[in-house]
Every structure is written in structure tokens, then in C-alpha cells.
């Protein structure tokens, strides 16, 4: 079974899919005339500044809380172990390609959130529901509903796997290895805290995320900056490695086996997508709940999440690995470091932090893994419940909630090799319907964007300073 699933995933996540993902981002970047670069400063203002125009508008949570809930799902262990894997398998140049996929992915996220707002619906409880399934069915037409159903089905399944049990499994491993707390105890604690939060609905989840996400991100970024600062003499050489080996093969050196440029590109692109979820459609599942006066405003807010996750958080991990030399097992390309070559990706990041900050550094990574993983569980619950609601209606969401809590516990005590493989497959099968929807609705994205910047932008800039 594992071999079959891995073969399927090799196809689903192969070069054609990565080209489709990046190609969609490039296409939308051209259609939007590089909006993610020209309007990034304004987007951050909209995200973090109150706009009186949004007072009294329909929605369930503020722009900021929608962003934090989305970040809760994105800021996960892909930002730690995923980056380490990209660098150790693809070399320093993989970081450059992560940046590229993050920058073009901002246009993809923008389009997803805009369409989510445009085609959102109000459910029986008076709460908004949105996502690729709604903009596929309502935007393209009802004959495309099978594609919408496919997205929702695989989204609900992926939430149980990559968004939940896989995260709780990683948390349990860290709790046992770093704090000698067994999986059963971790499972019980996670179930209690997860239940207390998700039974409070979107309002409680978004409120927790709006406090939880900034604190955990600042802890990790702060520790990363401290390490980078203490190794200041290696900052410029590290950037030289990134730009040199983005376009040139890395020769075998020290404990590094050497890679060709295609490996740097493939690992950078795939791990970049894993960390920021651009193209998977997940941001659209929460964006439609935002209180905002125009779809473009929430779209701008959503794209800042990709910038934060990939350009800031992932870069921190990559730079720590480079300046400490822990990407290359004997420090062959950055002199002055030497260490064990047998470390796996997550442990490698922990060891890199520990090499400069001692035990405190290793604990920072361990705590970050726990909190990043828990935030992902909360964020993906929102994604999963929205997908399940689309498939079966509100009447049965309690069933999914129970299953979700059960998956949280199972993840802490079970081996999840098969679940990992199924979850990877489900992620890819979410991506395909979503990208089709984005490409077929690009004219709507362009039209709404032109409408906003022609008729509302000037007044909005006055309102938010």
C-alpha cells in the first residue's frame, strides 16, 4: 500500500504539478500587473490597521482574525523540518526557489481569497461559508459541481491527516524526546485543549489564533535573529551561497553529497508550497468569513500571510542552518563548523539552534514545533469543517468534529506512514480542482481588482492612514 501511494504521489507532486502551481501564480501575477509587489505595503496596512469602512459590514471575524486563523494553519512544522529538508536535499539554492514560489504564490493566494469573498454564502446558522467548492460551483457553473465536490472531499480528508494527526504525531515525538512525556499523556492533553477551543466555533478559534500566532511566530523569529546576529560574519557568505547555488550545481563537499540545479529547484518549490499552501485553496476556506467592505481588501490581507510564512519565517530557518553550517554536515562551504551527519531534518534545525544558544536553543525549536503543530490543528479544523459542511450540511458537522478530535488522539499514539502518504495525495487532489477554478475565473479576479483600485482605493488610504 505504501509503495502504491508513494508512486501515486510521485506523479501527483511531480514536475508537471509543480509547473502548474508556479505557472498559475506567474499567470495571475501578469494578469494583476505585479500587484503583490506594488501593493504589499498597503496590504499590510489593511491587515494590521482598523478601517472604519469595515464597521457594520457583513461577516464573522475581522480581517486580522481571518489572517491569524489562516496563519494558524500555515505556520507549521513545514517551516522548520520542511525548510531543513529542502536545504539538505537541494542545497542552499533551494531557499532562493522557495522565495520565488512564495512571491508568485502571493498572487495565487490573493485570487483565492478574492473569489472566496465574491462567492461566499451564508449558512443556516447565519455564518458565512466559502472556499473553492463555492467559487467553482457558483462562479463557473453548476455543471462543474463534481469538481467542487472533489475539492471538498479531499479537503475534509486532508484536514484529518496533514492538518491534524500528522501534526499531533510530531508533537508527541517532540514531547517524548525533549520533555519525557509519553504519547498517551500528550494525546489526552491535546484532546482537552483542542476540544475546548473548537467547540467554541470560529469566534473562539480566531480569537485564540489572534493571540497565539503572533506570540509563537515572534518567539521563533526572535531566536532566529539572535543566532543570525551572533554569526554576523557568515550572513553575507550565506546569501552568496543561496544566490550562487540557485543557478549552479553544488559539488560534493564535506558531508554534503552534491546536487544539480534541478534538485535545488524541485526541493525549493515543493517545500515552499508545503509551507505556504499557495494553490491548495485553504485560505479561501476562511477568507469568506472576514468583515470587509470589498473582496479585494481581504484578498490583499490574505496574500500577506504567504509573505510572512515563506519570505520571513522560512528564511529564518534557512539562514540559521546556513550560518551555523548545519545544512552541510562538516561545514565545507562555510568554515568553522563541524557536526554529526546523521541528524534528520527536524533534529537538524534543533541542533543548529542549540549550536549557538545551547539547550535553550534546542528548547526553542521543541516548543515551536509543539505550538506550530497545535496551531495547524486548529487552523485545519476550520478548513475541514467547511469542506464537510459543503458535502453534508450543518446537521452532521458534529460527526466530523468528533472524528477530528479522535484523529488528534490517534496521531499521538500511532505510526502514521500510511496517513502521511494519503494526506500528501489528498493535498494534491485539492490543488487540481482549485487551480482549474482560479484559471477559469481569472477575469473575475481582474475585474474586481480594477473596480477596487479605480473606485475605492483612494478613500481607503485616507481611512487607514
Amino acid at each position: 500500500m505504501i509503495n502504491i501511494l508513494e508512486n501515486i504521489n510521485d506523479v501527483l507532486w511531480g514536475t508537471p504539478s509543480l509547473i502548474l502551481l508556479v505557472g498559475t501564480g506567474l499567470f495571475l501575477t501578469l494578469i494583476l500587473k505585479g500587484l503583490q509587489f506594488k501593493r504589499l505595503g498597503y496590504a499590510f496596512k489593511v491587515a494590521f490597521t482598523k478601517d472604519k469602512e469595515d464597521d457594520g459590514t457583513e461577516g464573522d471575524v475581522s480581517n486580522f482574525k481571518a489572517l491569524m486563523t489562516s496563519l494558524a494553519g500555515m505556520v507549521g512544522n513545514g517551516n522548520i523540518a520542511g525548510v531543513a529538508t529542502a536545504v539538505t536535499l537541494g542545497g542552499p539554492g533551494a531557499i532562493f526557489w522557495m522565495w520565488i514560489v512564495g512571491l508568485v504564490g502571493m498572487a495565487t493566494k490573493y485570487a483565492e481569497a478574492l473569489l472566496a469573498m465574491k462567492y461566499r454564502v451564508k449558512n443556516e446558522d447565519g455564518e458565512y461559508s466559502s472556499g473553492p467548492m463555492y467559487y467553482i460551483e457558483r462562479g463557473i457553473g453548476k455543471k462543474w459541481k463534481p469538481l467542487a465536490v472533489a475539492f471538498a472531499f479531499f479537503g475534509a480528508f486532508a484536514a484529518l491527516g496533514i492538518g491534524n494527526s500528522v501534526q499531533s504525531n510530531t508533537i508527541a515525538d517532540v514531547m517524548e524526546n525533549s520533555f519525557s512525556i509519553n504519547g498517551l499523556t500528550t494525546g489526552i492533553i491535546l484532546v482537552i485543549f483542542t476540544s475546548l477551543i473548537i467547540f467554541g466555533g470560529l469566534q473562539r478559534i480566531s480569537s485564540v489564533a489572534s493571540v497565539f500566532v503572533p506570540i509563537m511566530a515572534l518567539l521563533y523569529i526572535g531566536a532566529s535573529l539572535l543566532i543570525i546576529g551572533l554569526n554576523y560574519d557568515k550572513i553575507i557568505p550565506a546569501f552568496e551561497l543561496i544566490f550562487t547555488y540557485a543557478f549552479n550545481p553544488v559539488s560534493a563537499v564535506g558531508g554534503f553529497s552534491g546536487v544539480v540545479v534541478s534538485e535545488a529547484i524541485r526541493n525549493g518549490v515543493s517545500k515552499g508550497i508545503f509551507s505556504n499552501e499557495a494553490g491548495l485553496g485553504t485560505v479561501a476556506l476562511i477568507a469568506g468569513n472576514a468583515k470587509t467592505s470589498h473582496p479585494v481588501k481581504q484578498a490583499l490581507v490574505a496574500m500577506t500571510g504567504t509573505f510572512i510564512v515563506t519570505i520571513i519565517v522560512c528564511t529564518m530557518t534557512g539562514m540559521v542552518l546556513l550560518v551555523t553550517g548545519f545544512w552541510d554536515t562538516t561545514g565545507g562551504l562555510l568554515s568553522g563548523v563541524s557536526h554529526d551527519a546523521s541528524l534528520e531534518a527536524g533534529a537538524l534545525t534543533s541542533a543548529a539552534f542549540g549550536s549557538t544558544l545551547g539547550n535553550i536553543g534546542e528548547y526553542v525549536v521543541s516548543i515551536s514545533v509543539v505550538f506550530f503543530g497545535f496551531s495547524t490543528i486548529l487552523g485545519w479544523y476550520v478548513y475541514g469543517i467547511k469542506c464537510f459542511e459543503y458535502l453534508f450540511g450543518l446537521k452532521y458537522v458534529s460527526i466530523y468534529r468528533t472524528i477530528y478530535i479522535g484523529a488528534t488522539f490517534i496521531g499521538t499514539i500511532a505510526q502514521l506512514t500510511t496517513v502521511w502518504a494519503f494526506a500528501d495525495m489528498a493535498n494534491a487532489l485539492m490543488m487540481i480542482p482549485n487551480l482549474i477554478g482560479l484559471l477559469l475565473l481569472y477575469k473575475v479576479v481582474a475585474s474586481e481588482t480594477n473596480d477596487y483600485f479605480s473606485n475605492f482605493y483612494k478613500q481607503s488610504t485616507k481611512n487607514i492612514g
Side-chain angles (χ1 to χ4, degrees):
M1 175 64 75
I2 293 296
N3 289 335
I4 292 171
L5 290 172
E6 287 180 348
N7 289 333
I8 292 172
N9 285 330
D10 285 342
V11 173
L12 291 174
W13 286 107
T15 301
S17 294
L18 297 180
I19 291 173
L20 178 61
L21 274 163
V22 177
T24 300
L26 285 171
F27 173 71
L28 290 168
T29 297
L30 292 173
I31 292 297
L32 296 168
K33 302 175 183 177
L35 174 141
Q36 70 264 47
F37 308 111
K38 295 188 296 183
R39 306 295 186 186
L40 181 60
Y42 173 67
F44 272 100
K45 281 186 178 181
V46 175
F48 295 97
T49 306
K50 183 174 175 57
D51 186 343
K52 62 184 181 182
E53 279 189 354
D54 296 333
D55 292 340
T57 56
E58 292 196 356
D60 305 303
V61 295
S62 66
N63 282 328
F64 176 75
K65 285 187 175 182
L67 173 62
M68 290 302 107
T69 306
S70 175
L71 281 174
M74 282 191 289
V75 180
N77 293 318
N79 308 120
I80 298 176
V83 177
T85 301
V87 174
T88 53
L89 296 181
I95 296 173
F96 174 85
W97 295 108
M98 289 185 77
W99 291 340
I100 295 300
V101 79
L103 292 172
V104 300
M106 289 170 69
T108 307
K109 278 288 182 75
Y110 172 91
E112 291 171 346
L114 188 153
L115 293 172
M117 288 293 299
K118 175 76 174 177
Y119 295 107
R120 65 182 182 175
V121 300
K122 189 175 286 188
N123 65 26
E124 297 166 12
D125 285 347
E127 184 176 280
Y128 279 99
S129 296
S130 64
M133 54 279 197
Y134 293 102
Y135 55 72
I136 289 171
E137 181 182 349
R138 302 181 73 221
I140 308 175
K142 288 193 175 293
K143 66 180 181 180
W144 292 85
K145 185 167 183 175
L147 204 64
V149 170
F151 174 88
F153 176 80
F154 290 114
F157 183 85
L160 295 172
I162 199 73
N164 185 356
S165 56
V166 166
Q167 302 298 324
S168 63
N169 184 264
T170 303
I171 291 170
D173 285 345
V174 169
M175 293 297 287
E176 184 155 4
N177 294 331
S178 299
F179 306 105
S180 300
I181 298 174
N182 63 45
L184 180 62
T185 302
T186 299
I188 293 171
I189 294 170
L190 275 179
V191 164
I192 292 171
F193 279 100
T194 301
S195 300
L196 286 173
I197 295 170
I198 68 175
F199 272 93
L202 179 62
Q203 292 292 342
R204 186 176 297 170
I205 294 170
S206 64
S207 294
V208 170
S210 66
V211 175
F212 195 68
V213 171
I215 291 173
M216 70 178 189
L218 288 172
L219 170 68
Y220 186 74
I221 293 170
S224 300
L225 288 173
L226 179 58
I227 292 170
I228 294 167
L230 291 172
N231 291 277
Y232 66 91
D233 57 318
K234 296 187 177 70
I235 294 174
I236 293 176
F239 276 107
E240 289 175 347
L241 290 180
I242 292 171
F243 288 105
T244 298
Y245 294 113
F247 305 99
N248 297 286
V250 188
S251 300
V253 59
F256 191 74
S257 60
V259 291
V260 295
V261 175
S262 61
E263 282 298 298
I265 297 173
R266 188 176 70 84
N267 280 284
V269 170
S270 62
K271 296 304 182 291
I273 291 165
F274 178 66
S275 69
N276 63 43
E277 300 173 8
L280 296 187
T282 51
V283 73
L285 294 163
I286 181 62
N289 293 94
K291 296 178 181 178
T292 190
S293 57
H294 197 286
V296 165
K297 291 176 70 176
Q298 177 53 29
L300 289 166
V301 171
M303 80 178 191
T304 65
T306 303
F307 185 90
I308 292 168
V309 167
T310 306
I311 307 302
I312 298 178
V313 179
C314 288
T315 298
M316 291 295 102
T317 301
M319 285 298 292
V320 167
L321 291 169
L322 292 183
V323 300
T324 59
F326 269 73
W327 74 276
D328 164 22
T329 55
T330 61
L333 296 183
L334 280 179
S335 60
V337 290
S338 178
H339 60 80
D340 183 4
S342 65
L343 296 170
E344 295 182 358
L348 196 66
T349 305
S350 180
F353 273 72
S355 69
T356 300
L357 301 180
N359 290 336
I360 292 175
E362 294 185 11
Y363 282 126
V364 165
V365 175
S366 297
I367 292 168
S368 295
V369 168
V370 171
F371 283 118
F372 283 10
F374 183 61
S375 76
T376 301
I377 291 172
L378 299 180
W380 272 84
Y381 168 76
V382 176
Y383 304 158
I385 206 75
K386 297 287 186 182
C387 290
F388 192 85
E389 177 191 328
Y390 176 82
L391 294 171
F392 302 105
L394 279 174
K395 183 178 179 181
Y396 299 102
V397 294
S398 59
I399 296 174
Y400 187 83
R401 188 181 297 119
T402 302
I403 295 171
Y404 198 85
I405 292 169
T408 304
F409 181 76
I410 291 171
T412 62
I413 59 173
Q415 295 296 317
L416 297 178
T417 307
T418 305
V419 175
W420 262 108
F422 268 115
D424 280 347
M425 182 178 69
N427 272 164
L429 294 172
M430 289 170 65
M431 170 192 70
I432 294 169
N434 180 55
L435 293 180
I436 291 172
L438 294 179
L439 292 171
L440 292 178
L441 292 169
Y442 80 90
K443 290 183 179 179
V444 176
V445 175
S447 175
E448 290 287 336
T449 301
N450 291 334
D451 173 64
Y452 180 76
F453 285 103
S454 297
N455 301 313
F456 303 99
Y457 172 66
K458 287 184 179 180
Q459 183 58 44
S460 179
T461 55
K462 292 179 181 178
N463 291 339
I464 64 175

